[in-house]
Amino acid sequence: MESLQTTSSFLSLNALFDNPLFAGGIGLASLGAAAAFARKGAIVALGAVRRRLLVNVEISKQDPAYPWILAWLSQPREHPGYIASRITRIHNLSVTTTTTNTRGHGTSGPVNASFFLQPGYGRHIVKFGNAYISVNREKHSTANMNTGEPHEIVQLTTLWAYRHAFEGIFAEAHKLAAKANEGKTTVYSARGMEWAPLGDSRKKRPIGSVILDEGVKESIVADVNDFLSRHQWYVDRGIPYRRGYLLFGPPGSGKSSFIQALAGELDFGVAMINLSEMGMTDDKLAYLLTKLPKRCLLLLEDADAAFANRRQRDVDGYSGANVTFSGLLNALDGVAAGEERIAFLTTNHIDRLDPALIRPGRVDMMLRIGEATKYQAAEMWDRFYGDKDEEGMGKERFLRRLEELGLFGTNQDGTPSNRHTSTAAIQGLFLFNKIDMQGAIDMAEGLIPRTFEASDDVTLGEKHTKLRS
């Protein structure tokens, strides 16, 4: 009985396979499965071949090399051969516009504009040497939480055999960027938890253009150069490789100007931190100081502002800076403090600084940059009018006039005048009389510090005094 049932089931199965519709369906399904398997195998094989034959380099927008690569890609190139010149054409471009106001007085019209074309988003082909490089610039849907800028990447792809071309590309891009910033100083500011350039790089200020009292400038420059030449000396003795300077004195004496000029002299940038900035906390300050841009002077202006948080809360709820005194000390010279750093602190009120802040190790050198001296006034006169006053007669009259006014701290009879002026005020006077030496002498009385009320009338000849006093 069982054998009959088995025979019957086999006969039914044979009949099913003999059915042309069923047999055709089985055949089509088998072909589809085989095609899918072959497709997946081909994708895996192509992926393996691609990984073996190609090499990718990805540059994020947060990387300093990102603008260098875009600038390098923007350079015009001429390749011999019809095919190479057609393949390497970049058809999608984006533009960055910078404007400068160089119009003369009384002229109208738009300011001067410079247009910088760079590869747009999408895929491009460039040739470097014998290597063809595939360039893919993408903008992601995500954004930087601190700045709101969308994330971007540039991906470079070439054959594995030409992988060493990337070294040449980055070297050439860096050289191009260095040439573009040659003779310029880059100023960085804290943007969220990152450092970012504050506008375009500016021309280096010659250190000779900052007139300090005799010997002050030279002593700082010599000390900084000595520090930079003794890295290994610090390492061998286990001393943290950092140096701190405090420049104090009245406003307008040239503290910040000197730091900017020193950065240009050393071919450094300047990284500025505003201690009274809203949202500046101890943790943020410490993190930023450990992530300073390379070859940069750290500038903490108005260091006494760090103690503003000790005052009472204002009506609007703001109680001052969020940086505490202990947080500033730890960031400058704590366990987590960064190394390889040159820090400059400036203040107009050194009496407001706690002795713990200006002890050696945090501040290694303190210098007062004070009111204008006779030496500074003479040097500034030579810088502005030296080409016209070759015999120095005008300089003598100007200095004599300042002495008559008691602007160097003493009267002509030697008694204290309790009266001083600043180098910023003298510069303002000279700028007001660019080509008129006698006018600068006649208006020297305007250098006397004054206090103006809102109702005071100020004549044209005294406007510069109001701005500088």
Side-chain angles (χ1 to χ4, degrees), residues 22 54 80 117 119 132 165 175 197 236 248 311 323 345 377 399 424 446 457:
F22 181 79
L54 301 180
L117 292 175
Y132 284 92
K175 183 178 179 180
D236 293 340
F248 64 96
R311 62 185 174 88
V323 176
L345 286 75
L399 296 178
D457 293 329

PDB file of all heavy atoms in Angstrom, residues 22 54 80 117 119 132 165 175 197 236 248 311 323 345 377 399 424 446 457:
ATOM      1  N   PHE A  22       5.078  25.583 -15.364  1.00  0.00           N
ATOM      2  CA  PHE A  22       5.864  25.438 -14.130  1.00  0.00           C
ATOM      3  C   PHE A  22       7.353  25.354 -14.456  1.00  0.00           C
ATOM      4  O   PHE A  22       8.191  25.974 -13.790  1.00  0.00           O
ATOM      5  CB  PHE A  22       5.407  24.185 -13.380  1.00  0.00           C
ATOM      6  CG  PHE A  22       6.148  23.973 -12.086  1.00  0.00           C
ATOM      7  CD1 PHE A  22       5.827  24.690 -10.956  1.00  0.00           C
ATOM      8  CD2 PHE A  22       7.185  23.046 -12.021  1.00  0.00           C
ATOM      9  CE1 PHE A  22       6.524  24.496  -9.777  1.00  0.00           C
ATOM     10  CE2 PHE A  22       7.885  22.852 -10.840  1.00  0.00           C
ATOM     11  CZ  PHE A  22       7.543  23.572  -9.710  1.00  0.00           C
ATOM     12  N   LEU A  54      42.916  51.764  -6.599  1.00  0.00           N
ATOM     13  CA  LEU A  54      42.714  53.184  -6.378  1.00  0.00           C
ATOM     14  C   LEU A  54      43.042  53.561  -4.943  1.00  0.00           C
ATOM     15  O   LEU A  54      43.001  52.727  -4.034  1.00  0.00           O
ATOM     16  CB  LEU A  54      41.262  53.575  -6.690  1.00  0.00           C
ATOM     17  CG  LEU A  54      40.756  53.304  -8.111  1.00  0.00           C
ATOM     18  CD1 LEU A  54      39.307  53.740  -8.236  1.00  0.00           C
ATOM     19  CD2 LEU A  54      41.621  54.008  -9.135  1.00  0.00           C
ATOM     20  N   PRO A  80      49.553  69.409 -22.527  1.00  0.00           N
ATOM     21  CA  PRO A  80      49.695  69.096 -23.956  1.00  0.00           C
ATOM     22  C   PRO A  80      48.768  67.945 -24.352  1.00  0.00           C
ATOM     23  O   PRO A  80      48.510  67.036 -23.566  1.00  0.00           O
ATOM     24  CB  PRO A  80      51.172  68.688 -24.074  1.00  0.00           C
ATOM     25  CG  PRO A  80      51.554  68.222 -22.702  1.00  0.00           C
ATOM     26  CD  PRO A  80      50.750  69.050 -21.758  1.00  0.00           C
ATOM     27  N   LEU A 117      37.859  82.510  -8.291  1.00  0.00           N
ATOM     28  CA  LEU A 117      37.119  81.349  -8.783  1.00  0.00           C
ATOM     29  C   LEU A 117      37.762  80.070  -8.273  1.00  0.00           C
ATOM     30  O   LEU A 117      38.986  79.921  -8.290  1.00  0.00           O
ATOM     31  CB  LEU A 117      37.098  81.351 -10.313  1.00  0.00           C
ATOM     32  CG  LEU A 117      36.293  82.472 -10.979  1.00  0.00           C
ATOM     33  CD1 LEU A 117      36.460  82.423 -12.480  1.00  0.00           C
ATOM     34  CD2 LEU A 117      34.822  82.363 -10.607  1.00  0.00           C
ATOM     35  N   PRO A 119      36.872  75.519  -7.770  1.00  0.00           N
ATOM     36  CA  PRO A 119      35.979  74.439  -8.227  1.00  0.00           C
ATOM     37  C   PRO A 119      34.708  74.383  -7.399  1.00  0.00           C
ATOM     38  O   PRO A 119      34.737  74.486  -6.169  1.00  0.00           O
ATOM     39  CB  PRO A 119      36.830  73.179  -8.022  1.00  0.00           C
ATOM     40  CG  PRO A 119      38.238  73.661  -8.048  1.00  0.00           C
ATOM     41  CD  PRO A 119      38.211  75.025  -7.446  1.00  0.00           C
ATOM     42  N   TYR A 132      46.306  61.281 -13.349  1.00  0.00           N
ATOM     43  CA  TYR A 132      44.986  61.896 -13.424  1.00  0.00           C
ATOM     44  C   TYR A 132      44.327  61.759 -12.059  1.00  0.00           C
ATOM     45  O   TYR A 132      44.268  60.664 -11.485  1.00  0.00           O
ATOM     46  CB  TYR A 132      44.130  61.233 -14.501  1.00  0.00           C
ATOM     47  CG  TYR A 132      44.503  61.645 -15.910  1.00  0.00           C
ATOM     48  CD1 TYR A 132      45.429  60.906 -16.640  1.00  0.00           C
ATOM     49  CD2 TYR A 132      43.938  62.769 -16.496  1.00  0.00           C
ATOM     50  CE1 TYR A 132      45.784  61.290 -17.935  1.00  0.00           C
ATOM     51  CE2 TYR A 132      44.288  63.166 -17.779  1.00  0.00           C
ATOM     52  CZ  TYR A 132      45.208  62.411 -18.489  1.00  0.00           C
ATOM     53  OH  TYR A 132      45.556  62.804 -19.756  1.00  0.00           O
ATOM     54  N   ALA A 165      51.742  61.043  -5.790  1.00  0.00           N
ATOM     55  CA  ALA A 165      51.428  62.360  -6.344  1.00  0.00           C
ATOM     56  C   ALA A 165      50.774  63.257  -5.298  1.00  0.00           C
ATOM     57  O   ALA A 165      50.902  64.488  -5.357  1.00  0.00           O
ATOM     58  CB  ALA A 165      50.513  62.219  -7.555  1.00  0.00           C
ATOM     59  N   LYS A 175      52.909  75.542  -0.508  1.00  0.00           N
ATOM     60  CA  LYS A 175      53.808  76.578  -1.019  1.00  0.00           C
ATOM     61  C   LYS A 175      53.008  77.739  -1.605  1.00  0.00           C
ATOM     62  O   LYS A 175      53.354  78.913  -1.417  1.00  0.00           O
ATOM     63  CB  LYS A 175      54.730  75.977  -2.080  1.00  0.00           C
ATOM     64  CG  LYS A 175      55.765  76.940  -2.624  1.00  0.00           C
ATOM     65  CD  LYS A 175      56.667  76.249  -3.643  1.00  0.00           C
ATOM     66  CE  LYS A 175      57.701  77.227  -4.211  1.00  0.00           C
ATOM     67  NZ  LYS A 175      58.581  76.560  -5.214  1.00  0.00           N
ATOM     68  N   PRO A 197      40.340  82.199  11.358  1.00  0.00           N
ATOM     69  CA  PRO A 197      40.922  83.495  10.968  1.00  0.00           C
ATOM     70  C   PRO A 197      39.894  84.613  11.094  1.00  0.00           C
ATOM     71  O   PRO A 197      38.726  84.451  10.726  1.00  0.00           O
ATOM     72  CB  PRO A 197      41.339  83.278   9.512  1.00  0.00           C
ATOM     73  CG  PRO A 197      41.492  81.799   9.372  1.00  0.00           C
ATOM     74  CD  PRO A 197      40.461  81.197  10.287  1.00  0.00           C
ATOM     75  N   ASP A 236      65.215  69.405  28.129  1.00  0.00           N
ATOM     76  CA  ASP A 236      66.232  68.692  28.908  1.00  0.00           C
ATOM     77  C   ASP A 236      66.072  68.916  30.403  1.00  0.00           C
ATOM     78  O   ASP A 236      66.430  68.042  31.212  1.00  0.00           O
ATOM     79  CB  ASP A 236      67.634  69.147  28.480  1.00  0.00           C
ATOM     80  CG  ASP A 236      67.959  68.731  27.048  1.00  0.00           C
ATOM     81  OD1 ASP A 236      67.291  67.805  26.541  1.00  0.00           O
ATOM     82  OD2 ASP A 236      68.866  69.342  26.442  1.00  0.00           O
ATOM     83  N   PHE A 248      51.868  96.672  30.487  1.00  0.00           N
ATOM     84  CA  PHE A 248      50.877  97.491  31.173  1.00  0.00           C
ATOM     85  C   PHE A 248      51.209  98.958  30.970  1.00  0.00           C
ATOM     86  O   PHE A 248      52.349  99.339  30.670  1.00  0.00           O
ATOM     87  CB  PHE A 248      50.808  97.142  32.666  1.00  0.00           C
ATOM     88  CG  PHE A 248      52.066  97.432  33.433  1.00  0.00           C
ATOM     89  CD1 PHE A 248      52.216  98.615  34.132  1.00  0.00           C
ATOM     90  CD2 PHE A 248      53.103  96.510  33.471  1.00  0.00           C
ATOM     91  CE1 PHE A 248      53.376  98.887  34.848  1.00  0.00           C
ATOM     92  CE2 PHE A 248      54.268  96.770  34.188  1.00  0.00           C
ATOM     93  CZ  PHE A 248      54.404  97.956  34.872  1.00  0.00           C
ATOM     94  N   ARG A 311      31.712  91.280  40.315  1.00  0.00           N
ATOM     95  CA  ARG A 311      30.768  92.344  40.624  1.00  0.00           C
ATOM     96  C   ARG A 311      29.346  91.796  40.693  1.00  0.00           C
ATOM     97  O   ARG A 311      29.068  90.657  40.311  1.00  0.00           O
ATOM     98  CB  ARG A 311      30.856  93.456  39.576  1.00  0.00           C
ATOM     99  CG  ARG A 311      30.502  93.032  38.171  1.00  0.00           C
ATOM    100  CD  ARG A 311      30.756  94.186  37.205  1.00  0.00           C
ATOM    101  NE  ARG A 311      30.560  93.814  35.824  1.00  0.00           N
ATOM    102  CZ  ARG A 311      29.421  93.864  35.184  1.00  0.00           C
ATOM    103  NH1 ARG A 311      28.326  94.215  35.827  1.00  0.00           N
ATOM    104  NH2 ARG A 311      29.328  93.545  33.908  1.00  0.00           N
ATOM    105  N   VAL A 323      34.666  83.608  33.005  1.00  0.00           N
ATOM    106  CA  VAL A 323      35.984  83.092  33.344  1.00  0.00           C
ATOM    107  C   VAL A 323      36.320  83.503  34.772  1.00  0.00           C
ATOM    108  O   VAL A 323      36.301  84.680  35.106  1.00  0.00           O
ATOM    109  CB  VAL A 323      37.070  83.632  32.373  1.00  0.00           C
ATOM    110  CG1 VAL A 323      38.455  83.161  32.799  1.00  0.00           C
ATOM    111  CG2 VAL A 323      36.774  83.179  30.954  1.00  0.00           C
ATOM    112  N   LEU A 345      49.889  89.369  27.835  1.00  0.00           N
ATOM    113  CA  LEU A 345      48.752  89.948  28.540  1.00  0.00           C
ATOM    114  C   LEU A 345      48.932  91.462  28.549  1.00  0.00           C
ATOM    115  O   LEU A 345      50.048  91.965  28.726  1.00  0.00           O
ATOM    116  CB  LEU A 345      48.663  89.435  29.979  1.00  0.00           C
ATOM    117  CG  LEU A 345      48.190  88.001  30.216  1.00  0.00           C
ATOM    118  CD1 LEU A 345      49.263  86.994  29.858  1.00  0.00           C
ATOM    119  CD2 LEU A 345      47.770  87.811  31.680  1.00  0.00           C
ATOM    120  N   ALA A 377      58.740 111.075  20.959  1.00  0.00           N
ATOM    121  CA  ALA A 377      58.229 112.187  20.152  1.00  0.00           C
ATOM    122  C   ALA A 377      59.201 112.529  19.024  1.00  0.00           C
ATOM    123  O   ALA A 377      58.784 112.797  17.884  1.00  0.00           O
ATOM    124  CB  ALA A 377      57.973 113.403  21.027  1.00  0.00           C
ATOM    125  N   LEU A 399      59.650 119.710  19.726  1.00  0.00           N
ATOM    126  CA  LEU A 399      60.010 119.204  21.051  1.00  0.00           C
ATOM    127  C   LEU A 399      60.040 120.326  22.080  1.00  0.00           C
ATOM    128  O   LEU A 399      59.627 120.136  23.238  1.00  0.00           O
ATOM    129  CB  LEU A 399      61.361 118.489  20.988  1.00  0.00           C
ATOM    130  CG  LEU A 399      61.428 117.220  20.120  1.00  0.00           C
ATOM    131  CD1 LEU A 399      62.834 116.651  20.105  1.00  0.00           C
ATOM    132  CD2 LEU A 399      60.440 116.167  20.618  1.00  0.00           C
ATOM    133  N   ALA A 424      49.695 107.667  20.816  1.00  0.00           N
ATOM    134  CA  ALA A 424      48.519 107.658  19.947  1.00  0.00           C
ATOM    135  C   ALA A 424      48.042 109.078  19.670  1.00  0.00           C
ATOM    136  O   ALA A 424      47.627 109.404  18.551  1.00  0.00           O
ATOM    137  CB  ALA A 424      47.395 106.834  20.577  1.00  0.00           C
ATOM    138  N   GLY A 446      46.834 120.952  21.522  1.00  0.00           N
ATOM    139  CA  GLY A 446      45.745 119.978  21.514  1.00  0.00           C
ATOM    140  C   GLY A 446      46.136 118.635  22.095  1.00  0.00           C
ATOM    141  O   GLY A 446      45.272 117.781  22.332  1.00  0.00           O
ATOM    142  N   ASP A 457      31.588 122.393  22.698  1.00  0.00           N
ATOM    143  CA  ASP A 457      31.774 122.627  21.273  1.00  0.00           C
ATOM    144  C   ASP A 457      33.228 122.334  20.917  1.00  0.00           C
ATOM    145  O   ASP A 457      34.152 122.793  21.596  1.00  0.00           O
ATOM    146  CB  ASP A 457      31.443 124.082  20.910  1.00  0.00           C
ATOM    147  CG  ASP A 457      29.971 124.379  21.094  1.00  0.00           C
ATOM    148  OD1 ASP A 457      29.172 123.442  20.913  1.00  0.00           O
ATOM    149  OD2 ASP A 457      29.632 125.532  21.432  1.00  0.00           O
TER     150      ASP A 457
END
